[in-house]
Every structure is written in C-alpha cells, then in structure tokens.
Amino acid sequence: MASQQFEPPSGTRDFLAGALRTREAVFARVRQVFERYGFEPLQTPAFERLETLTGKYGDEGDKLIFKILRRGDHEATGEADLALRYDMTVPLARVVASYGSQLPTPYKRFAMGPVWRADRPGKGRFREFAQCDVDVVGSVSPLADAEVVCALTDALDAAGVRDYRVLVNSRQALTGLLESYGVPVDLGGGVLITLDKLDKLSPEKVVAELVDARSLTPGIAEALVGDLTAADAVERMQIRLKGSEAGRAGLEEVGRLLELAAPKVGDDRIAFTPSLVRGLDYYTGVIFEVVAEGMPGSIASGGRYDGLIAALGGPDVPACGGSLGVERIIGLLGDDQSDAHRTDVAVTVIAEDTGSEVMDFAARLRDAGLRTEVYLAASRKLAKQLKWAADRRARFALIYGASDKEAGMITVRDMDTGEQAQVPTHELAAHLTERCAPSR
Amino acid sequence: MASQQFEPPSGTRDFLAGALRTREAVFARVRQVFERYGFEPLQTPAFERLETLTGKYGDEGDKLIFKILRRGDHEATGEADLALRYDMTVPLARVVASYGSQLPTPYKRFAMGPVWRADRPGKGRFREFAQCDVDVVGSVSPLADAEVVCALTDALDAAGVRDYRVLVNSRQALTGLLESYGVPVDLGGGVLITLDKLDKLSPEKVVAELVDARSLTPGIAEALVGDLTAADAVERMQIRLKGSEAGRAGLEEVGRLLELAAPKVGDDRIAFTPSLVRGLDYYTGVIFEVVAEGMPGSIASGGRYDGLIAALGGPDVPACGGSLGVERIIGLLGDDQSDAHRTDVAVTVIAEDTGSEVMDFAARLRDAGLRTEVYLAASRKLAKQLKWAADRRARFALIYGASDKEAGMITVRDMDTGEQAQVPTHELAAHLTERCAPSR
C-alpha cells in the first residue's frame, strides 16, 4: 500500500503534540486579548445549509465551497444540501438573524476555528485553516472601529509579532480619490482592483494595466499612480480629497480612527495609506490592513461593512470587524519545545510485581499536579527504561527495585544531572513537588 | 422569510458565550487530567479520504457518514471523495500508520473535538458532537489498561461527576461464559448482543429474545440469565469461569485491572460485572463502562482492542483506550454564569468629545488585565449607559463627565452597591486592579 494513503487529505494537516501546542498557545493568547476587550466567544457548526452559503462569496468563492452530499435514499441524486463553513462572517450573520434580541447590543463576538476552502493547496495555503475574527454588530460609533483595530494589534503583540504597521484608508476616501482624478464612475471598481496591486507591481505596470485592462486614459492613469507613489503621497491626497464631499468624509473617518487608535497602537505604527484598497467590495467605511516586515501580504485586516449582515441574510445592522491572519503568524513559529510540556516524572517498572505500587506513586504525583508517566513497554531492563525516560524529556525518573521496596524507599534520579537520591516512599510527592516547583 | 432558515442545520448547535464557556471549561479540565497522565494531544483534519472511512463502521455506520461532493468539473458526477470524521479512532489508526517512528512508543494520545454522524437528531443526540478519547498504542501492559481507566475516572472527577461506578469485564471472560453454558459458538455473537440489554430489559424479556431471536434453548437461556441477574451473580460467574481456559484468562485480566486501578478509583466504585458486554466486537481484552446515578447509558467506556489499528489500515500494534461521554456530562451542567467572565469595568461615554480619553482609560485597564468594555451605542444619556453596564454584569462603571475632566478625576461606580468614588485619572488602573483583585 502506498504511504500516501496514510497522509491527511490534500491541503489538510495532522497536528502532533508539538505543533498543536504552538497553535493552541497562539489561540489562547489571542483569545485572552479579545476577552479583555469584552468580545464574547461564538461557535457555530462546521457546516451550514448549502443555501446559506451559496451566492455569498462571488462566483469564484462559490466554486471553493465543500458541499456535503445528501444522505440515505437521496445520496443517489448526487445533490448536496449542506456545505462546510467558508468563513466566520456568514455564520455570524445567521446567528444575528436567529438570536437577535438574545444577544447583547452591540454584539461583540470573536470566533476562532477552522474554515474550509477547496483552493489549490500550496505553500502556506491550506484547504482547512483557522480563522480568527472579531466583529462588532450594531454600532456606528467610531469607537467600535478603533476597538477592533486595537484588539487585533494587541493580539498581534500577544502572539509575539513585532514591527508591524497598520495601514488605514476609507471607502469614501477611495470614492473621493476616483472623483478627484475624473475616473468615470463605471470604471471605478476595476481601477481600484488594479490600484490594489501597487504593493506588488511597479508603478509602470500598474499604469499599463489601468490603461489596457481598465480603459483609463494614459493621462489620468499616470497622474493617479504618480501621486499615489510619490514620497509625499499622503499630503497630495489630503489636498485632493478635500476637493470632494466623499473625500472630505473619508478623511474625517480616517482621522477619527487614527485619533482614537494611534495612542494605543503607537503613532509610528499606524498611518493613513491612500493607496490601500482591500479587494472586497462590501466595506462601507474605514478599512485597514496590518503588514509586517518579512511577511508577504497582510497579517490582519478588516473595516466597516454596514450593509453586509443584511446582504448575507441577516437584519440591516451596522457592523465592523477584522480578521487575524493566524495561520501566517503560527507559520513563523516552530513546534513548541518549551519546558512547559516536559514530563515531570517518569516511573520505571523494574520488578514484575510492583504494578500496584507504581500506580500508587503515579496517582499521588498526578494528584499533586505533576505530569507523570509510567513505563508501559515490555522490557524489564533499567537502562532501556531510563532511555525511555530521557526520550520523554522527563525531569526525574523513579526507580523502585527490590531493595528499595524492602527499605520503604524509592530512588529519585535527576535526569538532567544523573544524580540519584533515596527518598522514603511516603515523602515522595512532597519531595518531587518541591524539586519540580522552581522550574515550573 | 421563515425563521427556521436562520437556525443551525438539523442536529447541530450554535454555542453562544455562556454555553460555550461551560463546554470549554469541561474540555480544559479533562485535558489537564489527560496531560497529567502524559497523554499528548493530537488533532487531525475534519475530513478524511472517503476510502479511509468506508467499511470501518459496519453497514449501519457507513450510512451515517457525511460525504463531501467532488469539486469543480467532478461535481456533476455526484460522487464523493472525502467524508467528515466519524470518530477519533480511524484517524488515530491513520496517524499511527503515517508517522510510525516519529511517535513516542507507546503512543499515548488524547483527542478532543467534533465528529459528525448523520443520525436522526433527537433529545441529546446530535449530528455534530464532541468526542474525547484517550488511547495507548503499542503496549500490552495491564498498566496501560489501568492508566486509561484511571485517566477517564480522574477526568470525570475533574468535570464534577460524582457517584459513578466502573463496570469491568473481559472479552475472554465472555467467551468463557458462553462456553460454560454450552452456547453454540455460531450463536455467541447474537447472544452477547441480547445479554447487553440486561440493563434495560427485564430478565424475562431477555430470555424470550435469547430463545426467539438468538435460537438458544430455553434451558440454557434461563440458566444464563438467572445466574447473571442473581444477587450473587459475581460469585456464580467466578465459579463458572474457572471451568474453562478462556474463563480463567478473563478472570485474571479483570483481576489485574481491578488490582491496579481500584486503589485510585476507589474499591467501592469499580467492580467485575460479568453481564457487561459492550456492543463493539473489536475488543480483545478487558472492557469497561462507567455508569452514573441519574444518567442513562454510560458516561465513559473503552477497553483493549489489539487488532483494531491493523483492521483500520494501520500497523499491527496492540492498543487500548476509552472515550468520555463528554456531551452527556456537559448536558448536565447549565450555561456558565460564573463571575469568571463578568466584565470588570464598563466605560461610559457621556460627552461627545471624550473618545480619546475613553480609549486611553480602557487601554490602561486592559493592559492591567481587566476585562474592560466601552459603550459603543448612540445614546448620550447616563441612565441608559448605566443600564448597559448592568446588562453586561460589570463590577464597576466609569463615568467621565465634563466636571470630572476639568478636575482630572474620573468617577468609579460600584455596580453592585451603587456607591461612587472620584479617583484621579492617573491612579485609575491601580485603583481598579486592587478593587477587582479579591473577587477574581
């Protein structure tokens, strides 16, 4: 049988202890931050009714939905009625629609867990991957936007990400930008999609694409790209945007977010970025992305999306939120090799008839909170059992031979130094609790 | 639109904060116990290749597998190539086959997470539900069986379940039992399935089913059921089982488990139970079930299944393990209403222009570890904002009016007593950290 058959399905991963602990440590730290901000956890099912999901992610998104075949007699139809969760936002809209008045107002929730997309698997791109979202549903206050940005950047700090920058813009500012350069309204969407590539393509290539693919006149394209990539782009844009109503409203939105969030995030880590677009067209207010040195793309992003909950089938409520690129962050960390998960005590089993005593020692040590493992393999050789204790990265090994037993003692071996001490069995738990304490 | 469309799919549940916290607290406590025993966490994908799962759960089980439709051009075939995880054991077998030598020997792992079965939903029966398994792969030692039993009962203790009893039997004892009463070998499997109903049906009904459905002679059926339900059933069975080789081996297995596990579990909470069958025919050694007062069925169960990993596609290694009926345990607990998740501080926003100060107060309190929420709705009325603070179950509310601002002070309202105190803004974090500390 090919070994491939034992691998997890394409685009998915098995997490053994070390990798899983790294993931869970990141989730725990992020979660603690979200809770401190008063966001509440929400967990929805892995799958939703198919009709809840279809039509919500565009044609390209719909193709990536994992659909679940109907069951029983209906299986033969080849039809699907359920589908795996594609993101955390559509389930949020359904929950807001379903539980309405039972939820706090505004409803501040976080969601952490896997989502599934039938994307072509690749380096760092998975079909099962974790999302980590915070959203505020039911508030138009700029404080809500600021809270989302601060919660996400606080979470990045907690996860150990340094040297990041928060790029801020607004949909209204983008509308004002297009107006100001005389971009025809019907070309606006395409122009923004191309402008979004300014962080990846050269200005010349962006101009070329604006002209060739977006039907913009060369004059407008060059002026737009020239200003956006100038050293004083922000100043140029501020002047430009002040010339239109949408532009002024956008500048005001951005200014308010900076005023509220910058003291916490740090003035040098957050800035108005007029070229920031964000592909998704459901944003209605401020938008932001967090980028970090050495990481491609963004490690967090979000914005205000006042119409989305209604568009997804929920009630017409304002909302804003953001997402942490938690897989990217975890990808930078290695397996957890910390001492936090070392075995404290490994109990060897040398003599054939000491099983009950060994279970008793282990029980007392575990009751005292020590991570304790009992030798479960067949060998009765001490050397082999001590090798096992070393493999388990045990701090201490217990050796309980016939002579120990007679004397009512047990031998405690420090696995780091090799030193051995005899301890009365009834003092074992106290002895080891004390010796394990300083390094715990 | 019907409100039903916003409910989660049939047999699944949304977990809002209170219910989710209860679940997670149980998982965390159970997990801590498993870790103390040296079991390592394992997480596998939500779905497996379809062929990994089919044929592993019997015909009835196969019908309950959620199958995932092929994607893209293959969708139209109506064929499935993936399927949602049905239990934690088949993925374990795959992982053992895949990672072999990278895993510790023996491999002691726990797995906690959802599995999916297309069962008819009903009271307490879900299509998405959590499983919580511990297994030891690669050890034939009776200590391994004892560790599994102790880890599960320790976990029950930690989850707050009291008054449980561990019923112990062995497959070999059951073989000896059938031999001893002269049950024809080919009827044995069916006879055991019927005997397994002795905890639900009257002895007369079980005798009738043994005769009618299992083709046992009335004499044998009556003798068997009579002895198994007698007040001194255990003594009768011990005498019976000593008469055959399988019976003696079974008694020895059971005796060894009791000897090793009873001191930890408690002598009065674990006992040889000759009528315990366990439906699944993959068990090869000791088997056990944990039952609790007031709970139907079992709340934990398991045993030794030396051939299963190989039968599931893994290598031929001995194994034993057990499962915690975690949904049943959680079902007995209510939503988490504990003070652990109260909001510490609710910050009101009375004046229009205090957003920056409010964000600053909140940031300092959060940095000090206090759960702090900012008023995000539109009203500027203090009464309304204090009602919000009360709804959020805040310990303290902060009020920062124009006069406070002028004096460099902030008003701290104890939400339980209504008492208010003015505190210099620069002392706010220290003041509240101290006042929140005792009850935290």
Side-chain angles (χ1 to χ4, degrees):
Chain A
M1 292 192 285
S3 79
Q4 201 206 331
Q5 87 175 90
F6 297 124
E7 286 175 10
S10 167
T12 70
R13 293 162 288 175
D14 295 318
F15 297 107
L16 302 185
L20 186 53
R21 284 182 174 132
T22 298
R23 291 178 75 77
E24 289 176 344
V26 171
F27 291 137
R29 278 184 229 128
V30 167
R31 178 185 179 125
Q32 198 181 24
V33 169
F34 292 167
E35 296 252 12
R36 225 153 56 200
Y37 276 78
F39 288 95
E40 294 188 349
L42 169 68
Q43 189 180 298
T44 60
F47 53 71
E48 295 282 347
R49 266 183 278 281
L50 182 58
E51 65 262 30
T52 305
L53 299 192
T54 44
K56 307 289 164 63
Y57 303 106
D59 288 346
E60 286 307 306
D62 274 0
K63 286 184 197 150
L64 304 184
I65 294 176
F66 280 106
K67 297 175 186 167
I68 296 173
L69 206 53
R70 299 182 67 181
R71 292 144 305 281
D73 295 342
H74 305 292
E75 186 178 316
T77 63
E79 288 167 11
D81 61 343
L82 301 167
L84 290 178
R85 179 168 74 200
Y86 178 93
D87 70 4
M88 299 298 196
T89 312
V90 167
L92 171 64
R94 182 181 58 68
V95 163
V96 172
S98 182
Y99 301 88
S101 61
Q102 294 170 55
L103 302 174
T105 308
Y107 181 45
K108 291 169 62 180
R109 84 90 181 79
F110 68 89
M112 303 168 94
V115 300
W116 295 269
R117 295 181 187 178
D119 230 327
R120 190 184 297 272
K123 194 172 173 328
R125 193 165 58 232
F126 304 102
R127 294 180 149 195
E128 173 179 74
F129 61 96
Q131 278 199 343
C132 196
D133 284 15
V134 280
D135 294 274
V136 181
V137 178
S139 170
V140 294
S141 170
L143 285 166
D145 303 279
E147 291 256 280
V148 165
V149 169
C150 291
L152 289 171
T153 52
D154 245 2
L156 287 172
D157 287 336
V161 180
R162 305 271 170 263
D163 300 324
Y164 57 77
R165 281 176 310 122
V166 185
L167 319 179
V168 178
N169 201 0
S170 120
R171 288 303 292 204
Q172 295 200 75
L174 288 169
T175 304
L177 178 81
L178 296 175
E179 272 181 39
S180 150
Y181 286 85
V183 175
V185 172
D186 57 325
L187 300 185
V191 167
L192 289 180
I193 290 171
T194 296
L195 286 179
D196 200 18
K197 300 181 183 172
L198 273 171
D199 56 346
K200 292 191 239 28
L201 300 182
S202 69
E204 293 70 31
K205 284 193 172 148
V206 172
V207 168
E209 184 174 315
L210 285 174
V211 173
D212 297 343
R214 306 302 180 187
S215 315
L216 215 54
T217 64
I220 295 181
E222 275 160 27
L224 192 50
V225 171
D227 284 351
L228 280 173
T229 55
D232 59 345
V234 169
E235 290 72 21
R236 290 189 193 195
M237 289 303 130
Q238 276 166 334
I239 295 165
R240 281 278 187 175
L241 292 177
K242 277 175 188 151
S244 77
E245 202 180 323
R248 283 189 298 275
L251 282 177
E252 205 180 305
E253 270 178 355
V254 169
R256 222 160 21 209
L257 178 61
L258 294 179
E259 179 197 336
L260 294 173
K264 169 70 186 155
V265 176
D267 278 325
D268 52 337
R269 298 210 287 187
I270 185 166
F272 172 41
T273 309
S275 60
L276 175 72
V277 172
R278 306 266 318 118
L280 304 164
D281 61 5
Y282 54 67
Y283 288 109
T284 56
V286 287
I287 54 179
F288 65 88
E289 265 184 26
V290 186
V291 293
E293 211 54 59
M295 288 199 237
S298 64
I299 52 170
S301 61
R304 175 163 287 278
Y305 52 91
D306 284 343
L308 185 64
I309 299 285
L312 296 179
D316 188 10
V317 284
C320 60
S323 210
L324 207 63
V326 68
E327 294 285 358
R328 287 194 184 169
I329 295 164
I330 291 168
L332 293 176
L333 309 168
D335 281 12
D336 185 337
Q337 300 292 355
S338 73
D339 278 1
H341 294 96
R342 274 184 82 169
T343 294
D344 291 313
V345 186
V347 189
T348 66
V349 184
I350 309 298
E352 201 58 61
D353 56 345
T354 53
S356 295
E357 286 98 330
V358 157
M359 287 297 289
D360 175 50
F361 298 145
R364 283 192 278 143
L365 297 175
R366 287 164 179 160
D367 287 349
L370 298 180
R371 184 168 311 208
T372 306
E373 294 202 55
V374 173
Y375 184 74
L376 297 176
S379 173
R380 289 287 164 267
K381 290 192 182 132
L382 181 59
K384 199 147 187 191
Q385 300 203 14
L386 287 179
K387 178 172 182 313
W388 161 79
D391 288 346
R392 299 301 298 147
R393 299 179 66 232
R395 290 171 205 279
F396 297 98
L398 299 188
I399 306 164
Y400 187 64
S403 63
D404 290 303
K405 189 170 176 174
E406 245 167 66
M409 306 290 273
I410 186 160
T411 302
V412 174
R413 180 187 177 94
D414 184 318
M415 291 297 293
D416 293 335
T417 66
E419 278 169 49
Q420 298 195 167
Q422 274 209 319
V423 179
T425 53
H426 65 276
E427 288 174 12
L428 181 65
H431 176 90
L432 281 168
T433 306
E434 203 188 315
R435 291 184 71 182
C436 286
S439 47
R440 287 171 70 80
Chain B
M1 292 191 285
S3 78
Q4 201 206 329
Q5 87 175 91
F6 297 124
E7 286 176 10
S10 169
T12 70
R13 295 162 287 175
D14 295 318
F15 297 107
L16 304 186
L20 187 53
R21 285 182 174 132
T22 297
R23 291 178 75 76
E24 288 176 345
V26 171
F27 291 136
R29 278 184 228 127
V30 167
R31 178 186 179 123
Q32 197 179 25
V33 170
F34 292 166
E35 296 251 13
R36 225 153 55 201
Y37 277 78
F39 290 94
E40 295 188 348
L42 170 67
Q43 190 181 298
T44 60
F47 53 70
E48 296 282 348
R49 266 182 279 279
L50 181 58
E51 64 263 28
T52 305
L53 300 191
T54 44
K56 304 292 163 62
Y57 305 105
D59 288 347
E60 287 307 306
D62 274 0
K63 285 185 196 149
L64 304 184
I65 294 175
F66 280 106
K67 296 174 185 166
I68 296 172
L69 207 52
R70 299 182 68 181
R71 292 145 305 281
D73 295 341
H74 305 292
E75 186 178 316
T77 62
E79 287 167 12
D81 61 342
L82 301 168
L84 290 178
R85 179 169 73 200
Y86 178 94
D87 69 3
M88 299 298 196
T89 312
V90 166
L92 171 64
R94 182 182 57 68
V95 163
V96 171
S98 182
Y99 300 89
S101 61
Q102 293 171 55
L103 303 173
T105 309
Y107 182 45
K108 292 168 63 179
R109 83 91 180 78
F110 68 89
M112 303 168 94
V115 299
W116 295 270
R117 295 182 187 177
D119 231 327
R120 191 184 296 273
K123 195 174 174 321
R125 194 166 56 234
F126 304 103
R127 294 181 149 193
E128 174 179 73
F129 60 97
Q131 277 199 343
C132 195
D133 285 14
V134 278
D135 294 273
V136 181
V137 178
S139 171
V140 294
S141 170
L143 285 166
D145 303 277
E147 292 255 281
V148 165
V149 169
C150 291
L152 289 171
T153 53
D154 245 3
L156 288 172
D157 287 336
V161 180
R162 305 272 171 264
D163 300 325
Y164 57 78
R165 281 176 311 120
V166 185
L167 318 179
V168 178
N169 201 1
S170 119
R171 289 303 293 205
Q172 295 201 74
L174 288 168
T175 304
L177 178 82
L178 296 175
E179 271 181 38
S180 150
Y181 286 84
V183 176
V185 172
D186 57 323
L187 301 184
V191 166
L192 289 180
I193 289 170
T194 297
L195 286 179
D196 199 21
K197 301 180 181 171
L198 272 172
D199 57 345
K200 293 190 235 35
L201 301 182
S202 69
E204 293 72 30
K205 285 197 172 146
V206 171
V207 168
E209 185 173 315
L210 285 174
V211 174
D212 298 344
R214 306 302 180 187
S215 315
L216 216 55
T217 65
I220 295 181
E222 275 160 27
L224 192 50
V225 171
D227 284 352
L228 280 173
T229 56
D232 59 345
V234 169
E235 290 74 18
R236 291 189 194 195
M237 288 302 129
Q238 275 165 335
I239 294 165
R240 281 278 187 173
L241 293 177
K242 278 175 188 149
S244 77
E245 202 181 321
R248 284 190 296 274
L251 282 177
E252 207 180 302
E253 268 178 358
V254 169
R256 221 157 23 208
L257 179 60
L258 294 179
E259 180 197 334
L260 295 173
K264 169 70 184 156
V265 177
D267 278 327
D268 53 335
R269 297 209 289 187
I270 185 166
F272 173 40
T273 309
S275 60
L276 175 71
V277 173
R278 304 270 314 123
L280 304 165
D281 60 5
Y282 54 67
Y283 288 110
T284 56
V286 288
I287 54 179
F288 64 88
E289 266 184 28
V290 186
V291 294
E293 212 53 60
M295 287 200 237
S298 63
I299 51 171
S301 61
R304 176 163 287 278
Y305 52 89
D306 284 341
L308 185 63
I309 298 284
L312 296 179
D316 188 11
V317 284
C320 60
S323 209
L324 206 64
V326 68
E327 294 285 357
R328 286 194 184 168
I329 295 165
I330 292 167
L332 294 175
L333 310 168
D335 280 11
D336 185 339
Q337 301 291 354
S338 72
D339 278 2
H341 294 96
R342 274 184 82 170
T343 293
D344 290 314
V345 186
V347 189
T348 67
V349 183
I350 310 298
E352 201 58 60
D353 57 346
T354 53
S356 296
E357 286 99 330
V358 157
M359 286 296 291
D360 175 50
F361 298 146
R364 282 191 277 144
L365 296 174
R366 287 165 179 158
D367 286 348
L370 298 179
R371 183 168 311 207
T372 306
E373 295 201 56
V374 172
Y375 184 74
L376 298 176
S379 172
R380 287 289 164 264
K381 288 188 183 141
L382 181 59
K384 199 146 186 191
Q385 300 203 16
L386 287 178
K387 179 175 179 310
W388 160 79
D391 288 347
R392 299 302 297 148
R393 298 179 66 232
R395 292 169 205 276
F396 298 98
L398 298 188
I399 306 164
Y400 187 65
S403 63
D404 289 302
K405 189 171 174 172
E406 245 166 68
M409 306 289 274
I410 186 160
T411 301
V412 175
R413 181 186 177 95
D414 184 318
M415 291 298 291
D416 293 334
T417 66
E419 278 168 48
Q420 297 193 167
Q422 275 209 320
V423 179
T425 54
H426 66 276
E427 289 175 13
L428 180 65
H431 176 90
L432 282 167
T433 308
E434 201 187 316
R435 290 185 71 182
C436 286
S439 47
R440 286 172 71 79

